[in-house]
Amino acid sequence: ILAGLGRHQACGDDPARDGNVAAFVEGLRALAAERPGRVVLVAGADLAHVGPRFGDAAPYDDAQRRALEARDRASLACAEERNQTAFWAHVAADLETRRVCGLAPVYTLLAALPADARGELLHYEQTVDPEEGSIVSHAAMVFHTDDP
């Protein structure tokens, strides 16, 4: 499933207020709930895209990289708490600066998770292009329930 939500991203609108988005998320949640056995939902998405390749005037220095990590980790904390509304708002607040392409798929995943799912951040990393210094940040998270 490709999760776009581009209109919502462009306007800063909370997608939860869109009946079509809500119906899609509820359908995805229901589909997962009715499947026998374990169900795995995956959101393959990057976080920030910064540096010259992405329109910034210069590569990030160490202080900017630390600030980027702090901002990314704050977004990930919202995700870890399974708060899709807070995640959306946090990322959308500086979407033009961080250029987080994973906003829509992560929001959709968070909204579709069962109520008892618990999140855990496993890893955070910034991959730096050695030639011109642009950065793509990414993380690994898991959400799981106690159900076998």
Side-chain angles (χ1 to χ4, degrees):
I1 300 168
L2 296 177
L5 301 178
R7 178 177 61 81
H8 299 285
Q9 288 179 202
C11 299
D13 294 340
D14 181 350
R17 291 186 266 211
D18 183 322
N20 292 324
V21 173
F24 172 78
V25 168
E26 184 52 40
L28 182 58
R29 187 181 301 121
L31 180 66
E34 71 187 25
R35 301 286 301 173
R38 290 186 175 198
V39 175
V40 177
L41 300 175
V42 177
D46 296 327
L47 294 170
H49 294 73
V50 297
R53 179 179 303 157
F54 306 109
D56 294 315
Y60 275 30
D61 61 24
D62 287 341
Q64 289 171 305
R65 286 186 63 187
R66 285 191 301 275
L68 174 64
E69 179 173 355
R71 189 75 182 154
D72 282 347
R73 285 184 180 273
S75 295
L76 292 167
C78 296
E80 195 170 24
E81 294 168 4
R82 294 193 47 254
N83 188 335
Q84 70 267 14
T85 302
F87 177 80
W88 182 273
H90 194 268
V91 174
D94 64 357
L95 192 58
E96 294 299 316
T97 304
R98 280 194 295 162
R99 301 173 199 92
V100 174
C101 70
L103 176 56
V106 173
Y107 171 89
T108 303
L109 173 73
L110 295 172
L113 288 170
D116 61 339
R118 293 181 320 280
E120 179 183 356
L121 176 63
L122 302 175
H123 182 74
Y124 172 85
E125 188 171 326
Q126 295 177 352
T127 301
V128 182
D129 184 310
E131 293 181 20
E132 46 82 19
S134 291
I135 298 170
V136 176
S137 61
H138 41 93
M141 295 190 80
V142 64
F143 298 90
H144 51 90
T145 65
D146 290 331
D147 292 337

